Amino acid sequence: MAEPCCVPITTSQLSESEADTLASLLKALADPVRLRIVSIIANCGEACACDLPAVLGRSQPTVSHHLSLLVSAGILDREQRGKWAWFKLNRDRIGSITAALA
Amino acid sequence: MAEPCCVPITTSQLSESEADTLASLLKALADPVRLRIVSIIANCGEACACDLPAVLGRSQPTVSHHLSLLVSAGILDREQRGKWAWFKLNRDRIGSITAALA
DNA sequence: CAAACATATTGACATCGGTCGATATATCCG
DNA sequence: CGGATATATCGACCGATGTCAATATGTTTG
């Protein structure tokens, strides 16, 4: 079960700060490149940053930017393995979004 | 049950165009003012545009802009009653977002 | 029709956000 | 240590977006 990081939209009226919090989380997902990153990781279980620029058709700095944004939002977890960075999905965080929209 | 307007993130890998579609829908929700509009309407069942500028602390043109954006995204339905515009929530559309993130 | 009121559109402005090339930092390996 | 490789940061560019004042459009009513 996801943690209640966001107040559900439909059960009580969102305050300004609650709306800000949920909006930031949604913004983190609301980009095609980031959605594809999340989708890839959700399917493969994890992904190495080194493979993503080729798959996504974006430069290494751009991919790095999106990855760190997703980590900041709590959607991905980062793990350093040697010189590679691996990422996996924080499913509770996704769950908290769907819970807020339920 | 919501219509499957978006492909689930976690069950198959999103194509570029599927990611574009879902991202547009998420973008429509990913704003604090729009989230508060949706929250108000979800709780009250419906809302008149005339009441929203005061509640939201935004100008009438700004509120009108957000409302038409939400209608374009299919999240709200608009109904003209005399000179007033009333809006209600398209819950299937919200459901299709949560389904895509499930 | 004309006045009054509700909503939409326009235009302008400032800020945000995605992108890349260049460069810095970090890690491994010989 | 020093070269090679992986990732992050910086700086710049440009299009997208939220906002409001001014104005236009549309609807009711006298």
Side-chain angles (χ1 to χ4, degrees):
Chain A
M1 176 55 193
E3 303 197 57
C5 90
C6 297
V7 174
I9 278 186
T10 52
T11 58
S12 72
Q13 235 157 267
L14 289 179
S15 70
E16 291 196 35
S17 72
E18 289 164 349
D20 285 345
T21 301
L22 181 51
S24 319
L25 200 43
L26 287 169
K27 268 186 215 290
L29 269 186
D31 175 88
V33 172
R34 290 195 289 274
L35 282 175
R36 288 172 66 206
I37 291 175
V38 169
S39 174
I40 288 166
I41 295 180
N43 279 276
C44 301
E46 59 183 5
C48 177
C50 59
D51 295 320
L52 294 176
V55 176
L56 299 169
R58 293 294 188 284
S59 71
Q60 179 272 320
T62 295
V63 170
S64 177
H65 165 69
H66 287 303
L67 285 170
S68 73
L69 195 155
L70 286 167
V71 170
S72 295
I75 295 170
L76 295 185
D77 292 322
R78 183 187 192 281
E79 183 192 343
Q80 187 83 26
R81 295 188 202 160
K83 56 182 163 184
W84 294 282
W86 288 80
F87 297 85
K88 61 182 181 48
L89 191 59
N90 184 346
R91 291 179 190 273
D92 281 357
R93 199 68 165 168
I94 302 287
S96 77
I97 298 176
T98 62
L101 298 182
Chain B
M1 177 59 193
E3 304 196 56
C5 91
C6 297
V7 174
I9 278 186
T10 50
T11 58
S12 72
Q13 236 157 267
L14 289 179
S15 70
E16 291 196 35
S17 72
E18 288 163 350
D20 285 345
T21 301
L22 181 52
S24 318
L25 200 43
L26 287 169
K27 268 187 215 289
L29 269 185
D31 176 88
V33 173
R34 290 195 291 273
L35 282 175
R36 288 171 66 206
I37 291 175
V38 169
S39 174
I40 289 166
I41 295 179
N43 279 277
C44 301
E46 59 182 5
C48 177
C50 58
D51 295 319
L52 294 176
V55 176
L56 299 169
R58 292 295 187 285
S59 71
Q60 178 270 323
T62 295
V63 171
S64 177
H65 164 70
H66 287 303
L67 286 170
S68 72
L69 195 154
L70 287 167
V71 169
S72 294
I75 294 170
L76 296 184
D77 292 321
R78 184 186 191 281
E79 183 192 343
Q80 188 82 25
R81 294 188 201 159
K83 56 183 164 184
W84 294 281
W86 288 80
F87 296 84
K88 62 182 180 49
L89 190 59
N90 183 346
R91 291 179 190 272
D92 281 356
R93 198 69 167 166
I94 302 287
S96 76
I97 298 176
T98 61
L101 298 182

